């Protein structure tokens, strides 16, 4: 026994979709044949179905993208150090960097920074450079977030790397 898929259209919009044995019941005789792609909310002009527009992204989604990027972190080069240093979880790590900044200002200390399973031993100057770069990156991310939120509407490609530092 075969089935057919039909849509009830009310005021030019699909209000219900159902699968029926062929032939469909009499009460669905004015329903329109549809394929598997058509769903509730689609527009119908009498001959063509059109998918509803994607809802505009929200400020909460942009803020979540900021948090994702800060948590993913970034690798920074440090003068006189042979490899890049990953700073991840930027918000939490910046607190640690701020705390240690006071400890290393004298230049007499070395600091071991562990990231991505690698221990990096940095001089005070290198540590302050890392701190400055991580802080600047966090500020750039927040500025990008505010710029995206200010757009009206927020673009659907708000998470695209071209919109972020």
């Amino acid at each position: 026994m075969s089935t057919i898929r039909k849509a009830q259209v009310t005021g030019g919009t699909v209000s219900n979709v159902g699968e029926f044995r062929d032939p469909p019941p009499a009460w669905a005789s004015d329903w329109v044949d549809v394929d598997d792609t058509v769903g509730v909310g689609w527009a119908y002009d009498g001959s063509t179905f059109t998918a509803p527009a994607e809802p505009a992204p929200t400020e909460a989604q942009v803020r979540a993208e900021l948090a994702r990027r800060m948590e993913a972190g970034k690798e920074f080069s440090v003068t006189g150090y042979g490899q890049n240093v990953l700073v991840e979880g930027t918000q939490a790590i910046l607190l640690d960097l701020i705390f240690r900044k006071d400890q290393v200002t004298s230049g007499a200390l070395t600091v071991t920074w562990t990231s991505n399973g690698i221990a990096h031993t940095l001089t005070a100057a290198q540590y302050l450079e890392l701190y400055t770069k991580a802080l600047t990156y966090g500020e750039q991310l927040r500025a990008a977030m505010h710029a995206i939120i200010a757009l009206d509407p927020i673009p659907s490609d708000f998470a695209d790397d071209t919109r972020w530092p």
Side-chain angles (χ1 to χ4, degrees), residues 70-157:
M70 292 186 92
E71 186 60 34
K74 180 178 172 69
E75 286 191 350
F76 298 97
S77 62
V78 178
T79 303
Y81 190 70
Q83 64 188 68
N84 288 345
V85 179
L86 174 66
V87 177
E88 51 192 339
T90 308
Q91 286 179 320
I93 288 172
L94 280 177
L95 294 175
D96 180 57
L97 288 169
I98 291 167
F99 173 75
R100 291 185 188 208
K101 178 180 178 272
D102 292 335
Q103 295 178 353
V104 298
T105 303
S106 68
L109 298 175
T110 59
V111 177
T112 300
W113 175 263
T114 303
S115 67
N116 207 22
I118 301 169
H120 304 278
T121 301
L122 305 173
T123 66
Q126 290 169 328
Y127 192 83
L128 289 173
E129 179 182 342
L130 178 63
Y131 162 80
T132 302
K133 287 181 176 183
L135 181 64
T136 300
Y137 178 65
E139 289 171 349
Q140 290 170 341
L141 284 174
R142 284 185 291 283
M145 177 201 67
H146 289 296
I148 292 167
I149 289 171
L151 298 173
D152 188 23
I154 294 171
S156 60
D157 68 343

Side-chain angles (χ1 to χ4, degrees), residues 19-85:
E19 285 193 28
F20 303 97
R21 290 184 217 168
D22 198 10
W27 55 265
S29 62
D30 62 339
W31 289 30
V32 182
D33 291 340
V34 294
D35 62 25
D36 290 343
T37 62
V38 174
V40 172
W42 283 51
Y44 183 63
D45 65 5
S47 61
T48 305
F49 287 94
T50 305
E54 290 288 322
T58 65
E59 180 178 331
Q61 290 173 301
V62 178
R63 289 184 182 281
E65 178 62 16
L66 168 69
R68 184 194 71 76
R69 287 176 179 273
M70 292 186 92
E71 186 60 34
K74 180 178 172 69
E75 286 191 350
F76 298 97
S77 62
V78 178
T79 303
Y81 190 70
Q83 64 188 68
N84 288 345
V85 179

